[in-house]
Amino acid sequence: MDIKELNEIIFDPIVCVKCGYCKSTCPTYLATRDERFSPRGRLSLSYKIIKEKERMGFSDLIRVFHDIDTCSKCGECEKTCPMGLNPYLSFMRAKAKTLPGKFEVISAKLTTKSKLFFTLLFYFGSKIKKSSYKINLTKISFRQREKIENEEKSDTIFFPSCFGYTIFSQTKKKVESLMEDLGVKFKTAPQSFSCCGAPLLFSGSMEDFEKNKKELIRKIEEKSTNDLSTLLVLGPTCTYIMKKFYKELNEKFPKVKIKEASDFIIEKIREKEVKIHVGEKDSVGEKDGNVKNITTKRESNINPEENKKNEEENKKKSEIIVIHKPCHEKYSDAIDKKNFFKELGFNVEETEFPCCGFGGSMFFKYPKMSNQLLDLLSEKIKEEEDKKVLVISNSPGCILQISRKHETKHILDLIYERIIVANHQQK
Ligand code: SF4
Ligand code: SF4
């Protein structure tokens, strides 16, 4: 065995002692009860790759790659391991050394660099998987060049992520509009630096991930003031990546807080004790419409009449809101969203099973595992005859996956559409 290579892969200070604790929280193991799909099993397979890669036949290599790659990247094993290991990062790096792993790295690079590739991947993936989430391709702009010289800088940067610039672009606009309503001064990170590098990290290519991170931090420096205080991120996975792997960002900006966008907005609503108006569903402006127009359009939809409020109250009574907590939320100091919606009179529940089975590429590549996880989650969501169930989540990936079985919406879409916030600056 090449010790140098082994050290490079097992970058954890202590090696696995095979206690098996990690199995108790691993969703793919819990769904299959098969050791191959547990963190411990996948670590063993990783050692096999390192030790026997040259001697392994192609079909053997494909099988081992498959067993490792069906990991949903939820990170539960890292939380559970009493030795403080990070098993999934170790075996992601091991699989990158195989031939199929090298193809995956190429695909991860394309996903990171090209919004068109990213969009088409998830667009057709969602169609094939019969996701009911509506993706409107005409609302997506693929222009990546922005002029940022001489632009006013801000100490608050909104990072919409790849999803926010593509198939969740309407949610991005709603976030911007809500933040304006809440009086938050911010700059939106341009599309040319909208990827945190998650696909690269999950493909096991640490070198490419590091390169992407360096470039992203350099661009954040260009856009922000020297005392960057808040980096708002759309989605818990990118929040997790930036909190956990962007140590250099904290070194450059010691005061910076990385916050997931829905947490930030709910906190702001509470902090400012913003008066909440009950509104009705509307859509955000056209692709090129600016935020002011969007806000105006929304304000015109605020209906202060009592009957409208009653209508909304009746609607609340006849529905159950189920909050799906994404796997990566546990790393982002997420706030208690259940109480927020409860206080507003919604019937609220939360999902218990940790992983919906989206798992990045698992959604496309491993339908069997992905479906097994979705079924386990879905069993916990009780559809009732007399009540409509609406699942909400702050993770774009989870929304695509869960909407295959249940009506699903982004939390921030719900806040924008049903809990309309008056512009506090005008009060
Ligand atoms: S990864 Fe950690 S929890 Fe899992 S078997 Fe190894 S030492 Fe135990
Ligand atoms: S990251 Fe999640 S799915 Fe992957 S091995 Fe760890 S616990 Fe299991």
Side-chain angles (χ1 to χ4, degrees):
M1 188 194 314
D2 182 340
I3 296 295
K4 197 166 169 280
E5 195 176 23
L6 184 64
N7 279 340
E8 188 198 322
I9 284 176
I10 304 163
F11 55 88
D12 296 301
I14 323 158
V15 288
C16 170
V17 293
K18 310 220 170 0
C19 63
Y21 279 128
C22 50
K23 288 162 65 173
S24 63
T25 55
C26 170
T28 55
Y29 175 75
L30 293 174
T32 60
R33 301 284 164 183
D34 186 331
E35 175 77 16
R36 291 176 304 150
F37 302 126
S38 73
R40 184 175 71 178
R42 290 183 173 119
L43 275 177
S44 300
L45 294 172
S46 306
Y47 301 147
K48 193 175 158 85
I49 289 177
I50 303 306
K51 283 192 283 185
E52 300 169 24
K53 191 175 62 184
E54 274 74 30
R55 277 174 283 136
M56 283 166 79
F58 187 66
S59 58
D60 213 12
L61 207 56
I62 293 281
R63 189 184 51 75
V64 168
F65 175 83
H66 165 272
D67 294 348
I68 292 179
D69 200 35
T70 43
C71 159
S72 74
K73 294 97 182 167
C74 69
E76 280 294 333
C77 45
E78 183 192 354
K79 254 180 77 193
T80 316
C81 175
M83 307 297 284
L85 301 185
N86 194 340
Y88 84 97
L89 278 185
S90 297
F91 50 72
M92 288 298 130
R93 292 177 77 171
K95 77 170 181 170
K97 298 202 175 288
T98 65
L99 187 61
K102 290 189 196 322
F103 280 114
E104 203 196 351
V105 171
I106 295 171
S107 154
K109 283 186 191 171
L110 270 172
T111 313
T112 308
K113 292 279 172 227
S114 165
K115 290 286 165 285
L116 182 62
F117 183 78
F118 181 93
T119 304
L120 294 179
L121 196 65
F122 284 99
Y123 179 76
F124 288 112
S126 306
K127 290 268 169 235
I128 292 164
K129 304 301 288 276
K130 297 193 170 51
S131 210
S132 65
Y133 183 81
K134 299 257 178 309
I135 300 173
N136 189 342
L137 289 180
T138 62
K139 302 267 181 196
I140 302 170
S141 161
F142 296 106
R143 192 170 52 87
Q144 290 219 13
R145 280 201 199 125
E146 298 89 1
K147 201 168 163 241
I148 56 171
E149 307 94 59
N150 304 325
E151 198 191 349
E152 201 187 317
K153 297 184 172 193
S154 174
D155 66 354
T156 301
I157 304 283
F158 170 44
F159 182 80
S161 79
C162 297
F163 274 119
Y165 266 115
T166 57
I167 54 187
F168 280 77
S169 60
Q170 294 302 289
T171 305
K172 166 189 168 274
K173 286 184 178 176
K174 287 171 189 168
V175 172
E176 290 169 329
S177 182
L178 283 166
M179 293 217 285
E180 287 215 334
D181 285 351
L182 290 161
V184 180
K185 300 236 176 319
F186 67 98
K187 287 275 166 207
T188 300
Q191 194 180 113
S192 60
F193 64 101
S194 54
C195 183
C196 68
L200 298 168
L201 183 76
F202 295 148
S203 75
S205 177
M206 298 307 283
E207 300 74 20
D208 289 305
F209 174 73
E210 288 298 323
K211 258 192 251 164
N212 185 81
K213 176 173 72 177
K214 226 170 138 189
E215 184 62 6
L216 183 52
I217 293 176
R218 191 182 65 74
K219 289 185 169 174
I220 289 174
E221 278 182 281
E222 283 176 9
K223 193 87 178 165
S224 72
T225 54
N226 291 336
D227 56 349
L228 176 68
S229 63
T230 315
L231 186 63
L232 279 183
V233 187
L234 189 67
T237 298
C238 307
T239 310
Y240 155 63
I241 300 278
M242 290 178 140
K243 269 181 174 273
K244 188 170 166 67
F245 299 97
Y246 277 56
K247 302 259 179 328
E248 297 85 346
L249 191 69
N250 283 91
E251 284 162 18
K252 287 214 159 52
F253 302 103
K255 287 199 289 181
V256 71
K257 285 201 167 52
I258 300 170
K259 303 280 290 179
E260 198 280 319
S262 61
D263 284 334
F264 180 84
I265 284 174
I266 291 174
E267 271 175 358
K268 277 279 169 228
I269 290 173
R270 285 190 155 148
E271 186 188 304
K272 291 181 179 287
E273 294 181 348
V274 174
K275 200 170 153 195
I276 290 169
H277 294 265
V278 176
E280 64 175 16
K281 195 172 174 178
D282 75 74
S283 59
V284 291
E286 296 307 308
K287 188 165 70 181
D288 299 323
N290 61 33
V291 173
K292 277 200 175 63
N293 287 341
I294 294 165
T295 308
T296 308
K297 190 172 176 189
R298 287 186 53 216
E299 282 166 356
S300 70
N301 271 343
I302 295 174
N303 188 341
E305 291 169 26
E306 204 56 38
N307 62 345
K308 204 75 210 165
K309 284 186 182 168
N310 290 340
E311 206 178 280
E312 173 64 21
E313 287 313 313
N314 289 338
K315 198 172 176 187
K316 280 180 189 164
K317 278 184 203 139
S318 63
E319 73 184 349
I320 299 174
I321 301 281
V322 179
I323 302 177
H324 170 69
K325 292 209 260 185
C327 302
H328 293 143
E329 192 170 270
K330 57 188 164 285
Y331 296 94
S332 58
D333 309 320
I335 61 160
D336 178 3
K337 297 177 185 69
K338 189 176 175 183
N339 266 339
F340 172 75
F341 287 103
K342 234 180 175 171
E343 283 161 17
L344 291 171
F346 289 92
N347 293 313
V348 202
E349 287 175 13
E350 269 175 339
T351 56
E352 290 161 28
F353 196 74
C355 182
C356 67
F358 176 74
S361 54
M362 181 199 273
F363 181 65
F364 316 105
K365 290 196 286 184
Y366 305 111
K368 193 175 166 203
M369 182 70 85
S370 177
N371 292 348
Q372 270 175 296
L373 293 173
L374 181 59
D375 287 345
L376 282 172
L377 175 87
S378 193
E379 276 170 20
K380 314 247 174 196
I381 300 174
K382 306 251 180 312
E383 295 278 358
E384 290 181 26
E385 260 177 35
D386 58 334
K387 282 197 169 63
K388 196 183 109 184
V389 169
L390 174 66
V391 182
I392 56 170
S393 178
N394 57 353
S395 162
C398 300
I399 293 166
L400 291 181
Q401 169 77 335
I402 300 171
S403 67
R404 294 171 56 205
K405 286 221 170 200
H406 305 273
E407 187 181 340
T408 311
K409 196 182 260 292
H410 198 290
I411 282 184
L412 289 164
D413 289 347
L414 182 76
I415 291 178
Y416 182 92
E417 291 161 7
R418 301 270 299 278
I419 307 162
I420 293 184
V421 181
N423 186 340
H424 77 106
Q425 286 183 325
Q426 290 177 357
K427 285 191 274 177

